[in-house]
Amino acid sequence: MTLRTVFFTMVCLVVTALHAEQDMNKHTGKCVTKNGINDCKMSAVGSINLAQTNGKYNAKNIFLKMNNKMDGELRLYHEKAKGTDFVRGEFALDNMSSQKLFVKYRVILKDKKGIVAQTAGYIHLTDGRRQKKKISYIELRKQDIKNIASYEIKIDASNKEH
């Protein structure tokens, strides 16, 4: 019985890892190097149901890969505090280059009719693993959160400040 449980657990972990790697390949940036400046751009689109997420530990993870030196994920989730509904998010990024990276991002949430909400900002990454950077929270009505069906993420990353 124990051997069967261990085998089943290992199969689940392998399937989950393969599924995550498959998603990561979908959201890969294109990079260009010119005069010593690395410039990477990425646009990712996908479906999302934020009404099913209920807090940081049940977030929708969107895997991102700019190049072989920078990757990570964006976690989006729905949170309720004092009767108000929010969409919150957090980038968890790895910068394995030896240079500081400057990241400009825009996260757009859409329903069937069009854009419901968006947020944008800048992130300055030093070299290192798992650097967590929160994005601004978005206050929405509960009905708007239920209607959100897709996301779009636009990222520009460079070793020179934008």
Side-chain angles (χ1 to χ4, degrees):
M1 184 71 174
T2 306
L3 184 61
R4 192 178 328 164
T5 305
V6 169
F7 177 75
F8 180 71
T9 304
M10 291 184 66
V11 168
C12 289
L13 290 172
V14 168
V15 169
T16 303
L18 289 174
H19 179 67
E21 185 66 30
Q22 183 180 17
D23 285 347
M24 188 179 290
N25 290 335
K26 288 181 187 175
H27 303 312
T28 302
K30 293 183 173 66
C31 298
V32 176
T33 302
K34 188 176 180 181
N35 297 333
I37 298 172
N38 296 327
D39 189 29
C40 297
K41 295 185 185 305
M42 187 190 73
S43 181
V45 178
S47 61
I48 191 167
N49 186 351
L50 288 174
Q52 289 181 345
T53 64
N54 57 359
K56 187 175 187 176
Y57 300 107
N58 189 20
K60 166 72 173 177
N61 294 330
I62 303 163
F63 297 98
L64 312 166
K65 183 173 178 88
M66 293 305 291
N67 55 30
N68 54 357
K69 301 231 182 213
M70 182 189 149
D71 62 2
E73 62 187 296
L74 171 63
R75 297 179 184 124
L76 288 174
Y77 56 95
H78 166 236
E79 190 171 78
K80 189 171 187 160
K82 297 181 183 177
T84 306
D85 291 288
F86 299 97
V87 174
R88 294 197 173 202
E90 176 180 72
F91 281 101
L93 300 171
D94 297 327
N95 177 12
M96 301 315 294
S97 70
S98 59
Q99 301 174 339
K100 190 172 190 179
L101 286 177
F102 302 94
V103 179
K104 180 179 171 184
Y105 69 87
R106 171 170 279 162
V107 178
I108 303 167
L109 302 173
K110 300 178 179 180
D111 63 5
K112 293 177 183 177
K113 297 177 185 176
I115 296 173
V116 174
Q118 63 181 333
T119 185
Y122 296 94
I123 299 173
H124 297 248
L125 290 177
T126 57
D127 58 335
R129 294 181 89 41
R130 282 299 128 172
Q131 299 176 55
K132 295 181 180 181
K133 307 292 181 179
K134 293 185 187 218
I135 65 173
S136 356
Y137 65 89
I138 305 165
E139 184 177 340
L140 292 171
R141 295 179 307 158
K142 191 171 189 173
Q143 187 59 37
D144 290 336
I145 292 174
K146 285 183 181 179
N147 290 338
I148 292 173
S150 65
Y151 64 85
E152 182 178 351
I153 303 167
K154 295 180 181 183
I155 295 179
D156 292 334
S158 177
N159 60 343
K160 184 178 179 190
E161 196 164 2
H162 294 57

